[in-house]
Amino acid sequence: MIAKITGGQNTADLIRYLYDTKKKGHTDPHLVASWDGFAPDPGRVDDFDAAKRALVADLDLHVKQAERLGRAPEKHVWHCSIRASESDRILSDEEWADIARRVVAATGIAPEGDPDGCRWVAVRHAPDHIHIAATKVRADLRTARHWNDYLTADRELSAIEKEYGLHQVVRGDRTAAKRPTRAEQEKAKRAGQARAARERLRTTVRTAVAAATSTEEFISLLQHTDGILVDVKHFPSGDVRGYTVALPGDTNGKQEPIWYSGSKLSPDLSLPEIRKRLDATEQQPGPRRTNPWHQATAATERIPHHLGYGDDAAAQAHLAAFGEALDALPLLAPPLVRPQLLQAAEAFERATRSRIQAEHQHARALRGAVRAMVREPAPKDGALLAMFLDAAILVVIAAARWHQLRRHDQQVAAAHQTLLHLQGAYEQTAAAPLAVRAQRRPPQQVVERHILLIRQTVPDHAEQVLEDPAFDALTALLADAEKTGHDPKQILQQAVDQRALADARRPAQVLIWRMELLSSRPAPSTRARAAQARSTTQRPAVSAPASTLTPPQPPPAWRR
């Protein structure tokens, strides 16, 4: 159920609207409940006008009394519409009456057991919704205390949905970015744009944040971005105080640009919030020996562990940094998969924020690696992108579980949507590099040895691995690792130990990209391999964190 609450200053106009049968969808308007159960109902008498005047007079009684004392609020009308979901059953008048009483009690309009509560009526003029009309002056002539009425009504409706067996609406925690208004959407449609100006600017600013290493560079990147206007605000000292952005051609009635501050685009895009994240970015050394894609993938692979074992502030920081990594990917990806990655980044944006305050220093490594990726030439081989996407998919699954355990409904829905786009991008990206690796399939006798090794190392997933179309690529990778001095058994065991396969629909491909990353490192010496072998045999098996093992489990469609 969805509640919409507005205010007004004319009781008669609201009652006239609620009983107007000429309006589309207004059929059989009538009262289902009122403050005392005896209010006149214009929809159930012959003299409609007389009953309407009587109802308005009754509702306005305490307002008129307060006006004589100079204590009446200017906007004394409280209007709440409550609509059921399309999939819900048709509720009876008695059920709607109960819902109305609970909502006016929860919001402070007419608290339960309070004889001085405000006067109100609930009008039903369509099968799927009611309107509550109330005047905000109590019988003791004080104004009703109804602060945060939208939140309290929403909370009460959530309980009603469960008790009545109705569709449970996905509710937010007021950390979502502001949606475009209807006017903004219509304006974009007239201009032939798929998205409103607010949404397009939000994507541009988030991309600049993902690429910048400092506040100064962030401002510079915005100023050098084509198709965007930037106005930088300064303190008297000359330091940057804030910024606003606009799109050329997006003007108001005076033909002036419509400016948006960062906080109006999204809660985490104000300059102070951006500065917190940029200050928590690991600075990369000059000459790099490690591929930044490998660094970013390794940091991403650790996020599910942080979500399971770390505290909430650290987990929230890793989700925010991962969101920045997704924002940067379209800059580095081939045109074929860029639309899917843009959609993934836009969807996951909602999952990067909650009421939990992030301690951004926990995600310094990933941020630094992402900035280094942006400064490197885009990789020609899709293997690096596929490797990162493979890790990203499991992060999104873990993020959905983390949010679900904390009842962050909107964030869970955002993660679901993100996963669909990432899976599509991965399928498109991984096909070519996997085919190239499969062409290097070793001789059959080597393959037989690898099959035995796989059965010993991953007995629970062996059949899935062996039947996967990417199995030839896996055996080729094991053979390549052996040629460069790695022990196939040890590198396969490392891949299994460091990454759970329970969420993988295609464990062979999970192992491929994990071993690709491991084999990119120098092969350990004989002494180091012996020490690794001793460590592996002596340490107990590492179990997954409880939060990843307990319900609710992701549906099969989530598994890759």
Side-chain angles (χ1 to χ4, degrees), residues 196-211:
R198 184 190 302 272
E199 295 171 305
R200 293 157 60 196
L201 288 168
R202 184 185 303 139
T203 298
T204 301
V205 173
R206 288 183 66 86
T207 303
V209 173

Side-chain angles (χ1 to χ4, degrees), residues 29 62 97 148 185 187 221 269 460 487 544:
H62 300 315
N148 288 326
Q185 293 173 337
K187 187 176 183 179
L221 286 173
L269 292 183
D460 295 338
D487 182 338

